[in-house]
Amino acid sequence: MERIEDRAEDAAGGAGDGPGRRTGTRPPASLASFAYTAADEEKRRGVRRMKTTATGLLLLVALVYVLATWAKNEGVGGWPGFVAAAAEAGMVGALADWFAVTALFKRPLGLPIPHTAIIPTKKDQLGASLGSFVGENFLSAGVVRDRIHSLAIGGRLGAWLAEPEHAHRVTAELSTALRGALTVLRDADVQAVVGEAITRRANAAEVGPGLGKMLEKVVADGGHRKVVDLVCVRAHDWLVQHGDSVMDAVQGGAPGWTPRFVDKRVGERVYKELLRFLTEMRDMPGHPARGSIDTFLTDFAADLQTDAETRARVERLKSEILGRGEVQDVIASAWSSVRQMVIAAAEDERSELRLRARASLMALGARLATDGRLQAKLEGWLEDAAVYVVTTYRQEITSLISDTVAGWDADQTSKKIEAHIGRDLQFIRINGTVVGALAGLVIYSVSRAFGA
């Protein structure tokens, strides 16, 4: 029987009859995608041993039938009839189950019997059915939502993250991923994107009213006074150090017909008045000039918010500043500085970035482990995301199954499946032989009991 099966398999493989048999036409890539491995060959040897056992049992039953029939014909009464009936039914059961098992993988004896070689000829339909089955029973919204809900991911994730070693591990993995992402990114591309984004955002937003509100608040809070104090001090000190230059400038601007001693006296007088004025401004918080500065800044803050001409001039100035190459270079170079700082912080386990990230993860884990509302919110997000994926891309997921099965070689598929389940299928033949023999014995005994 084993030799007959092998010859039938070779004949069926060479005939190429059946829509699923594409040997010689399937591209080599399809064979590589579903290769027959050494492990499969080992399992197939186990299948052959079970085939030998089942076939040996069939031959044994046939021998018993021959001997029992011979004894019955020789006039031996009693038991030969029961044994012959049992052996006969056992042969029928064995042959029937052999046909059923063989028909799954090939045509029995190579005969073109309908509805045989089911796996090779119906491979694509089986793949499509399997994909539909998975889509309907595993990728439905209810199944996915119930499964994720039963996992209680929120509490388990929180308890896991609350452990210091786990938080440290996650932080290290995130740091590695961050370094990798920053390393892969091209500085020129990122700088161009950052520069364009900042410029576009700055051009889109009018800065005048915002500056006016900020200046108004600064003046109201007296925040500008320290700046005025600094300017007065620096101006006074500069005037003290460069008194000769100021007097020379005044004398140089005098008419040519005035006497030089007059020019000198005028220069000295102007210098002394300037020095007195700056000294008073520096030392007197209530100096009128300071009040004038307050009034000017207050009026300017109001104009920035309400005066159309002032706002337009500020916008033109903003555009001119943003359009300068130096400003664009500063914006672009900001990315390089940020990138280097982030990479350095990610590589240093004791950096503030790593420490804060680790502490935040542990705090999040502790809260997740105890806060039921946060757990429910996280699990709800996960459920919604999973449901969205399976409902939106269900066809793509199931087509992965059907398309993959369709790409398998029919003969390789049949051999691989038989290698994995063939050993158990041979027990069907053995059971069929035993059950058939018992059924034949029962039927014969009942028939004899009723005088048939």
Side-chain angles (χ1 to χ4, degrees):
M1 183 65 70
E2 282 299 303
R3 293 180 179 178
I4 293 175
E5 289 179 3
D6 293 339
R7 287 198 298 270
E9 181 178 358
D10 295 339
D17 50 356
R21 295 192 177 275
R22 304 171 190 173
T23 304
T25 61
R26 176 69 63 183
S30 64
L31 298 177
S33 65
F34 197 59
Y36 193 73
T37 64
D40 295 330
E41 183 59 34
E42 179 63 28
K43 292 180 180 179
R44 188 169 176 81
R45 282 193 289 268
V47 173
R48 291 196 185 100
R49 288 192 292 268
M50 288 305 302
K51 281 184 178 181
T52 302
T53 301
T55 303
L57 183 59
L58 171 60
L59 295 177
L60 176 62
V61 173
L63 178 61
V64 171
Y65 172 76
V66 171
L67 295 176
T69 303
W70 175 79
K72 183 178 179 181
N73 292 336
E74 289 295 321
V76 179
W79 64 266
F82 290 92
V83 174
E88 182 180 11
M91 287 190 298
V92 173
L95 290 171
D97 288 336
W98 167 81
F99 181 90
V101 171
T102 303
L104 288 173
F105 304 102
K106 56 193 174 184
R107 300 192 183 280
L109 303 176
L111 300 176
I113 303 173
H115 304 293
T116 58
I118 294 175
I119 290 178
T121 58
K122 301 292 184 180
K123 172 179 64 67
D124 294 351
Q125 293 91 322
L126 291 174
S129 299
L130 177 61
S132 299
F133 176 81
V134 171
E136 294 172 1
N137 296 278
F138 294 92
L139 299 181
S140 63
V143 171
V144 172
R145 193 176 293 277
D146 291 342
R147 180 57 179 167
I148 295 179
H149 182 74
S150 66
L151 295 176
I153 296 177
R156 296 168 65 180
L157 177 63
W160 190 83
L161 282 177
E163 297 293 332
E165 61 271 18
H166 296 159
H168 176 76
R169 178 182 175 185
V170 173
T171 304
E173 295 296 337
L174 291 176
S175 299
T176 302
L178 180 60
R179 291 198 306 270
L182 293 178
T183 302
V184 170
L185 290 175
R186 294 177 54 189
D187 288 347
D189 295 338
V190 178
Q191 288 171 356
V193 172
V194 172
E196 193 273 338
I198 294 177
T199 303
R200 185 178 66 251
R201 182 68 181 271
N203 285 327
E206 186 179 359
V207 299
L211 290 176
K213 291 180 180 180
M214 180 178 67
L215 180 59
E216 184 179 41
K217 190 174 188 322
V218 169
V219 174
D221 295 340
H224 66 294
R225 289 172 185 154
K226 292 184 178 180
V227 177
V228 175
D229 291 342
L230 178 62
V231 171
C232 290
V233 170
R234 295 299 299 272
H236 176 272
D237 294 343
W238 184 90
L239 194 61
V240 171
Q241 294 176 5
H242 300 84
D244 294 338
S245 299
V246 173
M247 287 186 288
D248 290 341
V250 174
Q251 295 177 28
W257 49 267
T258 58
R260 296 188 61 182
F261 73 94
V262 174
D263 295 340
K264 183 177 180 181
R265 294 293 298 275
V266 171
E268 292 174 350
R269 182 66 177 176
V270 170
Y271 171 73
K272 290 180 180 179
E273 289 297 323
L274 285 174
L275 186 60
R276 181 186 60 80
F277 176 78
L278 290 175
T279 302
E280 292 176 353
M281 279 193 66
R282 182 193 63 182
D283 298 336
M284 297 173 57
H287 194 276
R290 287 178 175 263
S292 300
I293 294 176
D294 294 347
T295 302
F296 167 77
L297 292 177
T298 301
D299 294 342
F300 184 58
D303 290 341
L304 285 173
Q305 299 179 65
T306 59
D307 185 65
E309 183 179 353
T310 302
R311 291 166 59 178
R313 292 176 64 183
V314 170
E315 288 301 308
R316 288 194 297 270
L317 178 61
K318 178 192 70 176
S319 299
E320 292 176 1
I321 293 175
L322 289 175
R324 295 186 63 86
E326 299 86 346
V327 176
Q328 291 297 318
D329 292 340
V330 171
I331 295 175
S333 63
W335 160 250
S336 298
S337 301
V338 172
R339 176 176 174 273
Q340 293 299 328
M341 288 190 297
V342 173
I343 290 178
E347 292 176 346
D348 184 4
E349 292 187 1
R350 298 182 178 180
S351 66
E352 192 68 20
L353 176 64
R354 293 278 291 268
L355 294 176
R356 286 183 178 273
R358 191 179 305 123
S360 299
L361 286 173
M362 293 178 61
L364 176 62
R367 185 181 174 191
L368 264 177
T370 57
D371 191 339
R373 293 181 60 184
L374 184 59
Q375 292 176 12
K377 182 178 294 187
L378 174 62
E379 291 169 3
W381 289 342
L382 293 175
E383 291 173 13
D384 293 341
V387 168
Y388 173 79
V389 171
V390 299
T391 55
T392 305
Y393 300 101
R394 178 187 299 168
Q395 183 63 35
E396 288 77 3
I397 297 173
T398 56
S399 66
L400 175 65
I401 299 175
S402 58
D403 293 346
T404 301
V405 173
W408 291 344
D409 179 80
D411 292 332
Q412 292 286 346
T413 302
S414 180
K415 289 176 62 178
K416 197 174 185 74
I417 294 177
E418 185 179 12
H420 283 264
I421 66 173
R423 190 173 185 276
D424 294 325
L425 292 178
Q426 297 310 310
F427 280 105
I428 296 177
R429 294 176 57 189
I430 296 173
N431 294 335
T433 304
V434 176
V435 173
L438 293 175
L441 179 60
V442 171
I443 294 172
Y444 183 80
S445 300
V446 172
S447 299
R448 291 295 300 271
F450 286 95

